[in-house]
Amino acid sequence: MKNSKLKFTDIFVLLIGCFLMSISINMFFDPHDIAPGGLTGVSILVSTLTGIPIWLINISVDIPLFLFAYRILSKKDSLKTVLGIIFLTTSLKITENFSNIHITDDVLLSAISGAIIMGISLGLIFRINGSTGGTDLIGLLANKFMPNLSVPMLMGCADAVVVIFSGIVSRNIEIALYSAISLYIIVKVSDIMVEGINTSSSFTIISDKYEEIGQSITDELERGATILKGEGFYTNKEKNVLLVVVSKKEVVTLKKLVKSIDENAFIIITDIFEALGEGFKPI
């Protein structure tokens, strides 16, 4: 049986993530009616229409969602979700008056700044597999009725609906566009927080001087190289292909090294999502 207990570090990260999220909502999004998807976006829209505090709307919707999704979640995920809901609701209440702090009148700047902070907060929460409720629970529940659609796709649809309604509620199409910009930035920043910035490139090198190039790579860059067996489509001649993975800062050096040995070499350079193993991040 898997351990259902939470580490203190996970709880601390979840708390920091929820606090940052509340700052982005109350200080940047709410003053301009920007609703970049998610249950927090719904809370902003409802608060704009009714005047009910965001924290109260958030917990009022989150609790029923959690109760419906409880059987789908594991004990550990359930505990993280409950803590996430409590931390976010409390943080939203604590930072409620932050909307009165004048930062900027520029809506675009608020949308970008709030999105960056929100993206960082979500990235922290995702790194510990945490949750604050909201559209991820909606996605899980909807997936039970529409199994042909993935949870991320359903979450994306829910976010898109919120963004559209932000323009309807505010009666300003620009607000919907600002909300869409915020949502895009949030997704990108949270992805970087979770996966890290791409720092590696893969070289596929086709050259008759592959042995000399491979030896130079080993001696000068101290990188390994793999020989792949290939065959020319038109010539039907066997070709040895070198596969090398290097860091971004070594890309230029490797190109120069190959050129110095064989100017007629054929090189394909590909960005790598992630490289694990010796010389890179540990698995």
Side-chain angles (χ1 to χ4, degrees):
M1 178 180 288
K2 291 184 179 180
N3 188 1
S4 61
K5 293 183 179 179
L6 289 181
K7 297 179 182 179
F8 173 77
T9 51
D10 287 352
I11 296 174
F12 181 73
V13 169
L14 185 59
L15 178 60
I16 295 298
C18 289
F19 187 73
L20 288 175
M21 188 181 296
S22 69
I23 290 176
S24 69
I25 293 167
N26 284 324
M27 187 176 287
F28 294 100
F29 292 149
D30 185 42
H32 300 287
D33 299 330
I34 298 170
L39 181 57
T40 52
V42 173
S43 300
I44 292 172
L45 295 180
V46 176
S47 178
T48 301
L49 291 172
T50 64
I52 300 173
I54 293 175
W55 65 270
L56 184 58
I57 299 169
N58 190 78
I59 196 170
S60 298
V61 179
D62 255 335
I63 291 177
L65 276 176
F66 173 75
L67 293 176
F68 278 118
Y70 175 74
R71 292 187 178 183
I72 303 174
L73 303 172
S74 65
K75 288 184 178 180
K76 192 170 185 179
D77 287 338
S78 296
L79 182 55
K80 284 183 180 179
T81 302
V82 169
L83 287 177
I85 293 171
I86 293 172
F87 288 163
L88 180 57
T89 302
T90 304
S91 298
L92 286 170
K93 175 60 177 176
I94 292 173
T95 61
E96 190 174 20
N97 292 327
F98 280 26
S99 58
N100 298 324
I101 300 176
H102 182 76
I103 300 296
T104 178
D105 292 323
D106 191 316
V107 183
L108 179 59
L109 188 57
S110 292
I112 294 173
S113 301
I116 291 173
I117 297 174
M118 176 75 81
I120 292 172
S121 69
L122 285 174
L124 290 172
I125 293 170
F126 290 159
R127 284 182 72 91
I128 61 166
N129 293 319
S131 171
T132 59
T135 48
D136 47 353
L137 294 184
I138 294 174
L140 285 170
L141 290 170
N143 181 251
K144 291 296 178 180
F145 300 98
M146 293 177 284
N148 292 330
L149 298 177
S150 66
V151 173
M153 182 179 293
L154 291 167
M155 289 172 61
C157 291
D159 287 335
V161 170
V162 174
V163 167
I164 292 170
F165 269 93
S166 68
I168 296 173
V169 170
S170 63
R171 297 180 181 179
N172 187 347
I173 189 64
E174 287 188 350
I175 295 299
L177 296 176
Y178 288 132
S179 298
I181 291 171
S182 293
L183 178 59
Y184 178 81
I185 295 173
I186 288 169
V187 171
K188 290 300 180 182
V189 173
S190 61
D191 282 347
I192 290 173
M193 288 291 295
V194 173
E195 305 294 347
I197 299 174
N198 180 16
T199 58
S200 303
S201 291
S202 170
F203 274 65
T204 303
I205 306 169
I206 302 174
S207 170
D208 292 333
K209 299 180 180 179
Y210 68 93
E211 289 183 331
E212 189 177 345
I213 293 173
Q215 191 61 51
S216 295
I217 290 170
T218 302
D219 294 339
E220 297 184 29
L221 294 180
E222 297 183 349
R223 292 288 187 187
T226 300
I227 298 177
L228 306 177
K229 297 297 182 180
E231 182 178 328
F233 182 78
Y234 292 106
T235 63
N236 292 323
K237 292 182 178 179
E238 289 189 356
K239 289 280 187 179
N240 286 313
V241 181
L242 285 178
L243 176 63
V244 187
V245 177
V246 295
S247 64
K248 285 292 186 184
K249 63 183 180 181
E250 295 172 321
V251 168
V252 175
T253 303
L254 181 51
K255 285 195 288 186
K256 289 180 178 179
L257 185 151
V258 174
K259 182 179 179 181
S260 66
I261 297 172
D262 183 5
E263 290 187 350
N264 297 317
F266 185 77
I267 305 173
I268 301 172
I269 304 174
T270 309
D271 284 336
I272 295 178
F273 182 72
E274 191 171 20
L276 305 175
E278 187 176 351
F280 297 91
K281 291 169 59 178
I283 300 175

